[in-house]
Amino acid sequence: MTSAFTGLLAYPITPLAEDGSIDLDGLEALVATAVSAGADGVVVLATSGSGVSFDDDERDAVVRGAVAAAGGAPVHVGTAGESAHRVVARARAAIHAGASGLVLPPFAYLPLDDAEVRALFARVATAVPGAPVCFYNKPVQLGVDVSPDLLATLRDDGSVVAVKDPASLPSRPGGRVPELRAAGVAVGLSGDTALVGGAEPADAWHTGLAALAPAEYVAVRQARVRGGAGADDARAWLLGVAHAVAGTGRPVTALHAVAALLGTPTAPPRDALVPLTPADEAALRDAVARRP
């Protein structure tokens, strides 16, 4: 089994019909468009894809549809769950459905300590031996901030091959790619405003916005790899959209709104309890309308 937690990894939303059912055609179109535009892989059912809001049959349909639409490009799957038992079941199902790898946050009702994190990832490694895993580090949301030492231990345990880390946090606005690389894993960054705005070089960018505007994001990523020159119009537009999304305080709901504005009809995500304000909707419309 191979994996590619490198390059530009697009995280599509899971489009929904008005009755709340999954629009598989819409999802497959997002995946196919991202891959054809040059994205190096996709990740479904993670945060942008509202993965925890779907049952087992729905998740299976999403993974199989994405794998078919990707045409051989890597399809990774978010496997967060409310218990280790659920995580293991979702990991097995994802690999059985054709996933190339797993994106796993240390999610639990209470924040996990290092020993508990190691036990969780060990259970996944035992359940799906050989399946590559990307550690999804979400310290603000989950209360766990993976250290380079723990990453190295998880790598040595035989499961984790990559990490997805915030490109910027108040405690470390400049990121920490060199420290994480010392753990011997591929280092990917997340956070659209930081990525587009000039985050430090990394092995991968993990981004939901790239699944909605892949051509622009590919151009910006390629310019960054070349040394930063070029794609100025695409960068300015993406940065404006990213700021508008972040400004809502409800990023997944905002990504659904941006998807609709860019031609992928969708209802709001199932787990959205509060809709966007009229001011937020107007800001998103204005930002999207500036597309070069």
Side-chain angles (χ1 to χ4, degrees):
M1 184 180 298
T2 60
S3 180
F5 289 111
T6 57
L8 181 64
L9 301 178
Y11 283 58
I13 66 164
T14 305
L16 300 175
E18 288 302 320
D19 64 1
S21 62
I22 296 174
D23 178 1
L24 283 175
D25 289 341
L27 171 73
E28 291 169 11
L30 287 175
V31 171
T33 300
V35 171
S36 65
D40 297 287
V42 298
V43 181
V44 297
L45 297 173
T47 302
S48 298
S50 303
V52 296
S53 66
F54 301 110
D55 64 30
D56 293 345
D57 289 341
E58 290 172 322
R59 289 177 58 88
D60 187 69
V62 166
V63 177
R64 293 182 186 278
V67 169
V75 174
H76 308 303
V77 179
T79 54
E82 65 275 18
S83 67
H85 174 79
R86 178 63 67 188
V87 170
V88 167
R90 288 177 172 174
R92 284 192 179 117
I95 297 302
H96 182 71
S100 302
L102 309 174
V103 176
L104 176 58
F107 175 76
Y109 183 73
L110 295 173
L112 304 176
D113 62 25
D114 283 5
E116 292 167 327
V117 170
R118 188 176 180 184
L120 172 63
F121 280 77
R123 286 187 63 174
V124 171
T126 299
V128 283
V133 177
C134 176
F135 189 108
Y136 187 178
N137 195 40
K138 303 180 69 174
V140 173
Q141 297 87 348
L142 302 183
V144 176
D145 193 10
V146 70
S147 67
D149 287 344
L150 178 56
L151 268 181
T153 298
L154 295 173
R155 178 208 63 203
D156 292 342
D157 286 347
S159 59
V160 172
V161 301
V163 62
K164 173 185 177 183
D165 202 52
S168 179
L169 289 174
S171 60
R172 48 174 187 267
R176 53 171 183 167
V177 170
E179 295 94 323
L180 294 177
R181 279 200 176 128
V185 299
V187 179
L189 299 178
S190 63
D192 287 305
T193 54
L195 293 179
V196 178
E200 61 184 326
D203 301 309
W205 284 2
H206 299 250
T207 156
L209 189 53
L212 303 179
E216 289 86 354
Y217 232 114
V218 167
V220 170
R221 168 74 182 178
Q222 290 177 345
R224 184 67 54 77
V225 170
R226 291 194 303 266
D232 292 341
D233 290 343
R235 181 182 293 106
W237 177 70
L238 285 173
L239 191 58
V241 175
H243 278 299
V245 168
T248 68
R250 299 182 176 90
V252 179
T253 306
L255 285 177
H256 276 244
V258 171
L261 290 168
L262 289 173
T264 299
T266 178
R270 288 180 183 176
D271 54 355
L273 301 180
V274 179
L276 298 176
T277 67
D280 288 337
E281 292 176 345
L284 290 172
R285 283 196 302 270
D286 181 65
V288 170
R290 298 175 185 273
R291 191 177 198 175

